Amino acid sequence: MATIGKDIEKACELLCADELVAIPTETVYGLAGNALSLAAIDKIYTTKMRPRQNPLILHAPNIASIRPTILNFPQIAYDLAAAFWPGPLTLILPKSNLIPDELTAQQDSVAIRIPDHPLTLELLQALPFPLAAPSANPYGYISPTCPEHVEKQLGNNIKYILDGGTCRRGIESTIVGFEDETPVILRQGVITEKDILRISGTIKLAQEHAKIVTAGMSKSHYSPLTPLYLCSDIVTILPRYLDRNIGIISLNQFFEDINADHQIRLSLANDLNEAAKNLYAAMNHLDTLGLEIILTEYLPNEGVGKAMNDRLDRAAHKVLN
Ligand code: TXA
Ligand code: MG
């Protein structure tokens, strides 16, 4: 079992000894280690059971500490950083020699973000190195959004979970790469295309540009162990499954025929940001109930709804028509 606590000194000590610590961010919890240490990087891949061709994100407290880790900071990247950091935006930038090839899976770019969480910013400021921190879930499983999820998923393999409460945003950061001076969205997140466009004026979507590939784009990801069935409208699909032991995740509908404890409404107020905050917690919870199927539906495809639909598509074992 891992200890859950708010002791930054203890987290520092462990990280300086090449141990891993789970850290809170505004998006999801990260599994953190010294980004400049091969031993710590190796532990991250082993603990997460993550394929080694899937590079790690670097977390830093400010732009000054990022500068030595990259070759250059293109103006457009700088503008995005100025607009959204600290925050749920990850930028793919050309890496300097300071960054081990093992961190980036031999790529010459590195993914970087300044997370927006007071405890983790304090921790990053106290450390003499940046942190590598992929989401703190075993590879392919749902990302954790509270300390208890981390404990359940990785508690046997790490010593300490820095307790920053429930993640405010609940969905992984938006990842942006660059082709020439144009931002390319590699993973949808809380920061939307519109948000990026407001700063950059132009944008490309990753699907149209196979050149830059990020492993978070892999088809199957973020999945509960219970089969997740995804559809456009639960009301029309539900009659087919009434004789099965199912759970339901909906935006705000209640279904009389289904056990109230087996259904989760993501936002009674119809607020997509609130729904995003609750989505992984809902999947995590229903996955503990021994259900046959979790039935859910696409969310309105606007704002953060796009990122949620992207995650649902990857989490789904089946899409029903
Ligand atoms: O919100 C987040 O981004 C969270 C929190 C903990 O910061 N982290 C997170 O990390 O989601 P992870 O490792 O689960 O997802 C990062 C994604 C991976 O899919 C990885 O393939 C991609 O970023 N990535 C990392 N370095 C890259 C690079 N140099 N080029 C392209 N993609 C990269
Ligand atoms: Mg992840």
Side-chain angles (χ1 to χ4, degrees), residues 30-275:
L31 178 63
N34 179 351
L36 308 182
S37 153
L38 296 188
I41 292 170
D42 186 64
K43 274 187 195 161
I44 292 178
Y45 279 105
T46 309
T47 305
K48 250 187 90 79
M49 293 174 286
R50 178 177 184 136
R52 280 166 202 261
Q53 64 271 26
N54 190 339
L56 306 178
I57 297 185
L58 187 122
H59 294 67
N62 49 49
I63 288 182
S65 64
I66 287 172
R67 287 307 312 227
T69 69
I70 57 176
L71 284 184
N72 58 65
F73 212 149
Q75 185 61 41
I76 178 58
Y78 193 87
D79 293 346
L80 290 172
F84 299 114
W85 281 351
L89 174 72
T90 295
L91 298 177
I92 309 289
L93 296 168
K95 84 174 188 70
S96 76
N97 285 336
L98 192 66
I99 299 297
D101 291 334
E102 285 79 357
L103 183 93
T104 65
Q106 317 300 324
Q107 299 194 49
D108 50 18
S109 62
V110 57
I112 302 183
R113 84 180 190 100
I114 303 180
D116 188 13
H117 192 291
L119 261 193
T120 289
L121 282 173
E122 204 182 321
L123 173 68
L124 285 165
Q125 259 143 14
L127 287 166
F129 46 76
L131 290 175
S135 50
N137 50 296
Y139 184 69
Y141 196 67
I142 312 156
S143 298
T145 54
C146 64
E148 294 70 29
H149 295 161
V150 182
E151 165 58 26
K152 196 165 59 116
Q153 297 181 16
L154 294 178
N156 288 337
N157 301 314
I158 57 174
K159 291 196 178 124
Y160 199 63
I161 300 169
L162 193 59
D163 181 0
T166 299
C167 301
R168 244 176 344 107
R169 297 303 210 156
I171 291 247
E172 300 84 351
S173 61
T174 306
I175 301 184
V176 173
F178 298 93
E179 272 187 18
D180 305 319
E181 290 283 290
T182 307
V184 184
I185 296 196
L186 299 173
R187 180 174 72 184
Q188 305 267 355
V190 177
I191 291 174
T192 64
E193 280 159 50
K194 264 196 201 148
D195 296 331
I196 307 275
L197 214 46
R198 206 161 24 85
I199 307 295
S200 66
T202 66
I203 206 169
K204 287 176 186 164
L205 294 183
Q207 298 87 296
E208 306 159 25
H209 291 270
K211 207 174 107 193
I212 310 177
V213 171
T214 176
M217 292 160 70
S218 68
K219 182 69 189 89
S220 165
H221 223 76
Y222 315 105
S223 296
L225 297 175
T226 313
L228 183 90
Y229 288 9
L230 177 60
C231 65
S232 303
D233 178 22
I234 294 173
V235 174
T236 56
I237 296 290
L238 190 57
R240 289 192 227 163
Y241 292 95
L242 283 178
D243 60 342
R244 311 280 290 273
N245 183 19
I246 69 166
I248 290 184
I249 300 173
S250 75
L251 181 55
N252 61 9
Q253 272 180 294
F254 184 78
F255 298 89
E256 293 293 340
D257 298 328
I258 302 296
N259 182 339
D261 293 339
H262 294 179
Q263 39 185 321
I264 293 178
R265 290 181 277 179
L266 296 175
S267 170
L268 294 180
N270 241 329
D271 173 350
L272 286 180
N273 283 311
E274 185 184 21

